[in-house]
Amino acid sequence: MARTIAIGVQDFGKMIQNQYFYIDKTAFIKEWWENGDEVTLITRPRRFGKTLTMSMLEYFFR
C-alpha cells in the first residue's frame, strides 16, 4: 500500500498517526544534540520541513 505524501502537515504526531510519507530527520537530531550549541539557527527555503522538524523534536523530547 502506497503512503500519502502530506503536503502542509506540520505536526509530527499527525504524520505518524496517519502513516504519511515523510523524510526521517533523526540523524539531524543526533548531530544537533551532540554538537552542544547554545543556539541553533536553521535556515532553509520555504516548504523545506523546518516546522515539521521542530515538531519532531518536541515529540522526541517528551
Side-chain angles (χ1 to χ4, degrees):
M1 183 174 154
R3 289 188 177 185
T4 302
I5 298 174
I7 305 295
V9 177
Q10 298 178 354
D11 184 271
F12 184 69
K14 286 182 184 177
M15 295 288 286
I16 297 302
Q17 188 175 50
N18 295 320
Q19 298 182 345
Y20 292 139
F21 179 81
Y22 74 100
I23 304 300
D24 184 7
K25 305 236 175 135
T26 51
F28 167 77
I29 295 172
K30 181 180 184 292
E31 180 183 333
W32 170 75
W33 184 260
E34 288 175 349
N35 210 9
D37 292 337
E38 224 174 281
V39 176
T40 302
L41 175 64
I42 301 173
T43 58
R44 292 285 184 250
R46 290 181 63 214
R47 315 285 304 163
F48 211 79
K50 297 179 297 287
T51 304
L52 180 59
T53 301
M54 293 300 108
S55 177
M56 187 168 71
L57 280 169
E58 178 185 0
Y59 280 88
F60 185 81
F61 286 107
R62 279 188 177 181

